[in-house]
Amino acid sequence: MLNELLNPTLFRHDTAFDDLYPEHIQELSQMHWTPVDIAKKAGDFLSIPNNSVLDIGSGVGKFCITAGFFHPETFFCGIEQREELYTFAEIAKAEIELPNVNFIHGNLTELDFKNYDHFYFYNPFYENIEPDSRIDYTVRTSFELYNLYSRFVFQMLEEKPPETRLVTFHAPETQVPPGYQLVNNSYSRVLKMWIKK
Ligand SMILES: C[S@@+](CC[C@H](N)C(=O)[O-])C[C@H]1O[C@@H](n2cnc3c(N)ncnc32)[C@H](O)[C@@H]1O
């Protein structure tokens, strides 16, 4: 059930949601942040009461905040390497007051994935191999980091138990271990839902 004190109009359009952020962050939205309708759909699939969902590379928090708003019984966490993006995620979260949403500033390789049950993955490492898709120059990018991060997430997903859910958005299928079964896809196959068998 939605918390009636909150304002769902914020989640009707990307422009309304993106107003939570300063202009230079809004300009990045189309290319880098999950649209609200995708976040809702992904959240519907990943939300299981009392389970934890991790957004791997959470940016300014658009996925966690949207999914967390519609699913207050599920805990959503995002990890983000860029301090500025993490800070804007925290500011947006404070404005909407979502007790089931949490953000961590850091690199995903430092995180204990045992604390999370299900995962959202919006092709976070792409800027390492495609310079035109760089968000900014505050972090190092390289082919080596692309491989390191991809291997790290692949192995983490492989170690998860059956029934683990995963949503990928614009992500290559090679980044998903073979134990995960594709159960749904939409938006011209760029949004994919998986369950580990
Ligand atoms: C395409 S954006 C998606 C943002 C957010 N998940 C969303 O859907 O709105 C990918 C984000 O992943 C972050 N990222 C990439 N590699 C990371 C790493 N190794 N550790 C933490 N964050 C990372 C980037 O800084 C970027 O903000």
Side-chain angles (χ1 to χ4, degrees):
M1 211 169 70
L2 292 184
N3 182 341
E4 284 162 22
L5 294 173
L6 300 176
N7 182 2
T9 59
L10 199 62
F11 300 95
R12 284 206 189 116
H13 303 288
D14 285 299
T15 43
F17 189 95
D18 292 347
D19 268 348
L20 287 168
Y21 305 107
E23 211 171 305
H24 72 285
I25 296 293
Q26 292 177 27
E27 282 165 9
L28 295 168
S29 185
Q30 202 184 356
M31 187 168 193
H32 294 287
W33 320 138
T34 300
V36 284
D37 56 334
I38 301 275
K40 275 187 206 163
K41 223 173 157 83
D44 290 347
F45 177 74
L46 292 170
S47 293
I48 294 173
N50 304 315
N51 279 209
S52 294
V53 176
L54 178 73
D55 182 2
I56 300 170
S58 47
V60 289
K62 212 168 157 182
F63 165 73
C64 286
I65 290 172
T66 305
F69 174 82
F70 288 99
H71 297 282
E73 73 291 350
T74 302
F75 181 70
F76 290 88
C77 182
I79 179 151
E80 172 53 51
Q81 63 179 344
R82 289 179 161 94
E83 189 169 11
E84 187 197 23
L85 303 184
Y86 157 79
T87 302
F88 284 127
E90 285 284 9
I91 292 170
K93 183 192 106 171
E95 206 151 308
I96 306 172
E97 293 179 30
L98 294 170
N100 59 325
V101 173
N102 184 41
F103 294 108
I104 297 167
H105 174 225
N107 196 294
L108 66 96
T109 53
E110 296 152 11
L111 198 62
D112 188 353
F113 281 82
K114 289 194 183 70
N115 297 330
Y116 306 97
D117 304 301
H118 311 289
F119 302 91
Y120 179 69
F121 187 86
Y122 177 6
N123 206 8
F125 315 134
Y126 190 56
E127 62 181 329
N128 286 286
I129 55 170
E130 177 47 70
D132 286 347
S133 74
R134 263 192 101 114
I135 292 177
D136 59 32
Y137 289 85
T138 61
V139 296
R140 224 161 44 82
T141 58
S142 67
F143 281 95
E144 288 73 22
L145 284 175
Y146 181 86
N147 289 330
L148 176 87
Y149 296 153
S150 299
R151 273 202 304 270
F152 187 88
V153 169
F154 189 96
Q155 190 177 338
M156 174 282 290
L157 288 172
E158 223 171 18
E159 286 168 8
K160 283 285 160 187
E163 301 306 322
T164 298
R165 291 181 172 225
L166 167 71
V167 172
T168 57
F169 185 45
H170 285 287
E173 291 199 3
T174 49
Q175 293 195 314
V176 178
Y180 285 74
Q181 185 173 24
L182 183 64
V183 292
N184 201 351
N185 70 71
S186 49
Y187 293 88
S188 308
R189 300 179 62 82
V190 293
L191 183 69
K192 293 183 178 150
M193 295 165 188
W194 311 78
I195 299 180
K196 189 165 186 208
K197 293 295 149 199

